[in-house]
Amino acid sequence: MRRFTYHEPKSIADAVHLLSAYGEKARLIAGGTDLVVEMKQGKKEPDHVISLRSVPGVNEINFSGGYLRLGAMVTHRAIERSPLIRERFTLLADAVDNLGSVQVRNVATVGGNICNGAPSADTAGPLLALDAVLLVEGPEGERNISLNEFFRGPGKTALAANEVLKQIIIPELPPEACSRYLKHTRRKAMDLPLLGVAVTLIPEAGGEICREARIALTLAAPTPIRAIRAEKHVAGKPFYRAVWEEAGVLALEDSSPRTSFRTTAAYRKKMICALLPRAAAEALERSGRTMKG
Amino acid sequence: MIAVKISFLLNGDPVTAEVPDQVTLLEMLREHFELRGAKEGCGYGECGSCTVLVEQEAVNACLMLAAFVNGKSVQTVEGLAGKQCRLDPLQEAFVEHGAVQCGFCTPGMIMSAKALLAENPRPSRDQIRRGMAGNLCRCTGYAKIVEAVAAASKRGCSCGESS
Ligand SMILES: Cc1cc2nc3c(=O)[nH]c(=O)nc-3n(C[C@H](O)[C@H](O)[C@H](O)COP(=O)(O)OP(=O)(O)OC[C@H]3O[C@@H](n4cnc5c(N)ncnc54)[C@H](O)[C@@H]3O)c2cc1C
Ligand code: FES
Ligand code: FES
């Protein structure tokens, strides 16, 4: 790796200060599982690497007052091991269960996964389908960014170069809600998704009708997206397979998948139609109900 | 020259090293401490041959900055046999079950298995495969490795006392 100076500020404010001082020459490092790879490949060549590991509190998972708060430095492994997340925010547990290896999950962070801006990021879809909001700090203080507005293109996010992600804030789901993230891969382990489908369902009181659905897709477009047309279509309708098959077709209108070295746009389109109804059916099964038809 | 000073527990002993800021944990272990058990296979987190334990958890030493282990405990395959130089039950099981051929992947396999058994002393075959998914072997075809880990777990290997 090319030479750089390593910094370990003790607060977010100090990290922001360093980022402002060194500008383009500086990079934050969380777990480093993306950044170190890119530095070894010579794709990123910062002169200053600023670590968040000595900042207190940024690796905490906190659930209170109707919100789940994930510190930016929470590792995928901590999410995997959290009974609360597995029970109440299940699709986020789905996302990390099959993310990289144990070795990767032990150090890679949820903040790094999001801030890296990769179209394939496994936590992006689930966090979109959880209506997550990001708390970031910059020279002027803190601000919130809805995750819906965060992804701007492959490797591009709404963060300014001197802003730091502090926390991911997720509103609590009602107890009747259920969810599923499907990661479509060629291998069972150690593979990036060809397509990711994340679904959160909130049924009406009787459980037969879908009050609200949040649907997010990864690798269906240059950034992770919400499939708004599909969401509108299923809202207020019973949980019927035919309704969700129609939603799959509508999700295509929200998408613009590309052909990459992993697979083709045509295949991704077919899989959107196939996997959206499957993800919804599997979410429903988790709450003891079945998709009809 | 820019250097960071890193103090940590290495296989139970307090140590200090001064290395350039960009040095990885793997480079520091192999070059500075001359512990050549952990290997660089890919250098990109894909193969697991560089696996060591940091605070009892398996990590890819090739992707971790050496500076990250300041104040932490690091365990490498060299530390398993301990001062008495007795093989760990996991190492014995690897030998007995023919889970070692060329041996390049073995230190990483053993350290991953160590972390796995510390967390889950009686893993199913499937849990073993999942827990070791980040370790590649080009020789054995994995069957014997899974067998060895299962055998060590039955023997109630000394996996709790991992430092
Ligand atoms: C072998 C291997 C397998 C992988 N498999 C998967 C997989 O299956 N699915 C998947 O999604 N990813 C995978 N990854 C990618 C990677 O592990 C994840 O994206 C991880 O979550 C990145 O987190 P990190 O903490 O390591 O980020 P880092 O590498 O530390 O940082 C990534 C980027 O985000 C920025 N950043 C980090 N934290 C902040 C912050 N708080 N505020 C602002 N900017 C910040 C950094 O400057 C950097 O540009 C894999 C990586 C490897 C090496
Ligand atoms: S050398 Fe570290 S994972 Fe391959
Ligand atoms: S024994 Fe040769 S790579 Fe595993």
Side-chain angles (χ1 to χ4, degrees):
Chain A
M1 253 185 296
R2 197 168 148 276
R3 271 175 55 177
F4 57 73
T5 306
Y6 178 76
H7 304 263
E8 218 172 89
K10 301 279 184 292
S11 68
I12 299 273
D14 286 351
V16 169
H17 194 79
L18 286 166
L19 284 174
S20 303
Y22 295 120
E24 295 284 285
K25 298 198 155 107
R27 270 271 154 193
L28 286 174
I29 190 165
T33 60
D34 280 317
L35 185 63
V36 172
V37 168
E38 287 175 309
M39 290 194 297
K40 284 188 169 189
Q41 292 170 335
K43 287 184 186 159
K44 296 218 168 100
E45 302 195 313
D47 291 332
H48 297 271
V49 171
I50 302 164
S51 165
L52 297 174
R53 49 194 47 228
S54 285
V55 175
V58 283
N59 56 0
E60 282 169 18
I61 299 177
N62 176 290
F63 184 52
S64 62
Y67 293 95
L68 174 71
R69 292 164 189 276
L70 301 175
M73 291 286 282
V74 165
T75 61
H76 298 308
R77 195 83 162 132
I79 293 175
E80 184 184 358
R81 285 173 172 162
S82 161
L84 168 83
I85 292 177
R86 197 161 291 276
E87 198 185 307
R88 309 282 298 266
F89 305 90
T90 315
L91 80 174
L92 192 54
D94 290 338
V96 298
D97 275 344
N98 204 12
L99 193 160
S101 58
V102 171
Q103 293 95 315
V104 169
R105 295 198 292 278
N106 276 334
V107 292
T109 65
V110 62
N113 197 225
I114 295 300
C115 293
N116 198 48
S120 57
D122 269 313
T123 65
L127 289 172
L128 280 171
L130 286 167
D131 265 345
V133 171
L134 308 180
L135 173 65
V136 309
E137 185 171 327
E140 265 83 61
E142 293 182 347
R143 67 178 177 125
N144 285 330
I145 312 175
S146 159
L147 193 61
N148 289 322
E149 331 257 88
F150 186 69
F151 300 110
R152 296 287 164 88
K156 294 204 181 75
T157 70
L159 276 185
N162 54 7
E163 282 184 313
V164 180
L165 172 66
K166 283 174 88 168
Q167 216 173 55
I168 300 168
I169 304 170
I170 300 167
E172 182 180 5
L173 293 170
E176 65 275 16
C178 54
S179 65
R180 178 76 169 126
Y181 170 64
L182 286 179
K183 171 177 181 171
H184 187 54
T185 52
R186 292 162 302 181
R187 295 183 70 219
K188 277 192 191 155
M190 292 292 282
D191 206 358
L192 293 174
L194 301 173
L195 183 76
V197 179
V199 176
T200 303
L201 302 176
I202 306 175
E204 291 285 6
E208 303 298 312
I209 289 176
C210 181
R211 174 150 60 89
E212 185 190 333
R214 301 191 208 127
I215 301 168
L217 304 172
T218 37
L219 292 164
T223 65
I225 53 163
R226 285 278 287 266
I228 303 292
R229 287 184 184 84
E231 290 180 4
K232 287 205 174 113
H233 180 70
V234 297
K237 296 201 177 71
F239 291 112
Y240 285 151
R241 177 162 298 278
V243 170
W244 280 87
E245 280 167 0
E246 288 155 12
V249 176
L250 287 168
L252 288 181
E253 288 178 27
D254 292 309
S255 316
S256 50
R258 300 194 169 177
T259 293
S260 70
F261 75 94
R262 282 178 204 283
T263 188
T264 61
Y267 180 72
R268 288 195 164 106
K269 284 184 177 164
K270 283 199 172 139
M271 292 318 290
I272 291 170
C273 294
L275 291 185
L276 182 54
R278 190 183 303 170
E282 291 186 15
L284 269 185
E285 273 163 32
R286 285 179 163 165
S287 59
R289 279 161 287 171
T290 46
M291 182 76 79
K292 299 204 176 62
Chain B
M1 169 138 135
I2 312 162
V4 274
K5 193 170 162 199
I6 304 158
S7 302
F8 63 107
L9 279 182
L10 179 55
N11 294 324
D13 297 326
V15 294
T16 298
E18 264 186 61
V19 294
D21 291 25
Q22 75 278 9
V23 160
T24 63
L25 175 58
L26 183 62
E27 289 164 340
M28 176 171 75
L29 290 172
R30 291 180 57 88
E31 310 305 327
H32 190 94
F33 291 100
E34 300 189 351
L35 294 175
R36 305 260 157 77
K39 309 264 185 293
E40 178 165 276
C42 63
Y44 291 107
E46 302 283 348
C47 75
S49 68
C50 63
T51 303
V52 300
L53 307 189
V54 173
E55 299 286 304
Q56 328 280 8
E57 305 278 14
V59 306
N60 293 317
C62 71
L63 288 187
M64 183 168 277
L65 298 184
F68 281 12
V69 304
N70 190 29
K72 306 238 145 98
S73 75
V74 176
Q75 200 188 11
T76 69
V77 72
E78 289 87 352
L80 288 187
K83 305 268 184 295
Q84 295 81 28
C85 288
R86 281 208 47 193
L87 286 188
D88 183 276
L90 251 172
Q91 292 171 305
E92 277 174 359
F94 267 63
V95 173
E96 281 167 20
H97 287 81
V100 182
Q101 287 187 22
C102 80
F104 193 88
C105 71
T106 311
M109 287 284 177
I110 300 258
M111 297 318 280
S112 275
K114 191 84 188 158
L116 171 71
L117 294 185
E119 187 179 20
N120 179 1
R122 291 276 181 280
S124 65
R125 299 270 158 153
D126 196 52
Q127 286 170 325
I128 295 174
R129 282 193 201 95
R130 262 185 57 80
M132 315 262 301
N135 293 80
L136 300 183
C137 175
R138 312 239 4 215
C139 305
T140 64
Y142 302 102
K144 307 235 171 221
I145 292 175
V146 175
E147 248 172 57
V149 177
S153 85
K154 283 206 196 74
R155 219 173 283 172
C157 99
S158 60
C159 297
E161 47 142 53
S162 35
S163 62

